[in-house]
Amino acid sequence: MHVGVKIPNWGPLAGPDALVATAVAADQSNFDSVWVSDHVAMPRSPLTDYPYAASSTPPLDPTTPFLESFVALAHVAAVTERVQLGTGVLVLPLRQPVLVAKQAASLDVLSRGRLVLGVGAGWLADEFALLGQPFDDRGGRTDEGIDILRRCWAQQDLLVDGRPTPVAMMPSPVRHTRLPVLVGGHSRAALRRAALVGDGWYGSNLSAERFSDLVRALRPFPGGDALRVGARPGVVAAEEAGSTVGAFRDAGADFVVLDAPYAAMDVAAARTWVHRVADALDLDGSAQPLVARPAAAPASDG
């Protein structure tokens, strides 16, 4: 199974030392990918209820350091050689999608084809307001944004003011017209989006049991039966890594992304955690990379 590791682009360790130390450790110890989280701006108050924890309390506040996703991965790309680089997940409707297409293609080229672009619709209404973006239609704009990304990478026409307009955006991603786009989120709309237009589905902060339930809900959608699925569980102690990966493998996961208790660590401890987990899992770097599904005609659910 493909095993990735979250690296600390947010929290007390968010900075060049820990980011490089954990990414290089993951690269050298045969993890298959490294992942960062995404937020742009956090309001001081109020905060929308956090949908990925029973307490509804976000794991961060406006004082929490948070490095921008593409910038963090570009920094990591320069000091690693083989690990894939994942966003888990980028809040796509916060951003102008043509610009995201350019950033993603550039990062993919500079990393020699290692980017996996996880995207989601977002949950924090206040953040959308801070960036001047509407919140209520974020799902539809996420669908549209994914289509725009792929059109830009393939040099296909975009609709501008209702008119087809040719796109010239070079360089394309290393895999030419496509790079992997995973869709995050636990709602029915997010699962449907993943099945219809995604190359995979990525769940966050899940138990193996909850993961299994969501996968069962995803599979009946057109395209869902062949979708690669994976998740980031909650924070995992090094000695729990083997049982955690085994539980998700048994639940049908194709990939899993492990997250350390970075908030309680210094840089040395974070590096050690990565190596200890790799040793516990006996990683050999032979897992298949996460890749885009072959391009196909748009699916329909009837």
Side-chain angles (χ1 to χ4, degrees), residues 169-195:
M169 181 179 287
M170 294 296 291
S172 294
V174 170
R175 290 170 290 273
H176 303 296
T177 61
R178 292 175 70 84
L179 56 82
V181 178
L182 308 183
V183 175
H186 302 169
S187 68
R188 179 176 173 81
L191 298 177
R192 178 181 182 277
R193 179 176 301 117

Side-chain angles (χ1 to χ4, degrees), residues 44 54 61 67 73 98 105 124 155 158 195 214 239 265 269 276:
R44 292 195 178 277
D61 63 38
L67 299 174
L73 288 180
V98 176
L124 183 54
Q155 316 300 321
L158 294 180
L214 289 169
E239 57 271 19
M265 293 178 169
R276 285 183 61 198

Side-chain angles (χ1 to χ4, degrees), residues 20-105:
V20 167
T22 53
V24 170
D27 197 41
Q28 294 175 343
S29 57
N30 290 324
F31 276 95
D32 301 301
S33 52
V34 295
W35 297 74
V36 296
S37 300
D38 180 55
H39 275 294
V40 176
M42 297 293 293
R44 292 195 178 277
S45 63
L47 287 176
T48 310
D49 285 347
Y50 183 60
Y52 301 114
S55 68
S56 299
T57 301
L60 68 164
D61 63 38
T63 67
T64 303
F66 211 121
L67 299 174
E68 199 279 328
S69 300
F70 283 134
V71 174
L73 288 180
H75 190 69
V76 164
V79 297
T80 57
E81 296 181 357
R82 43 162 298 278
V83 286
Q84 289 192 277
L85 311 169
T87 58
V89 293
L90 192 83
V91 186
L92 185 57
L94 284 178
R95 298 164 167 87
Q96 209 287 334
V98 176
L99 178 58
V100 173
K102 185 65 172 181
Q103 292 172 309

Side-chain angles (χ1 to χ4, degrees), residues 98 151-152 154-160 163-169:
V98 176
R151 286 182 174 275
C152 288
Q155 316 300 321
Q156 295 176 345
D157 289 357
L158 294 180
L159 283 179
V160 179
R163 294 177 298 175
T165 302
V167 174
M169 181 179 287

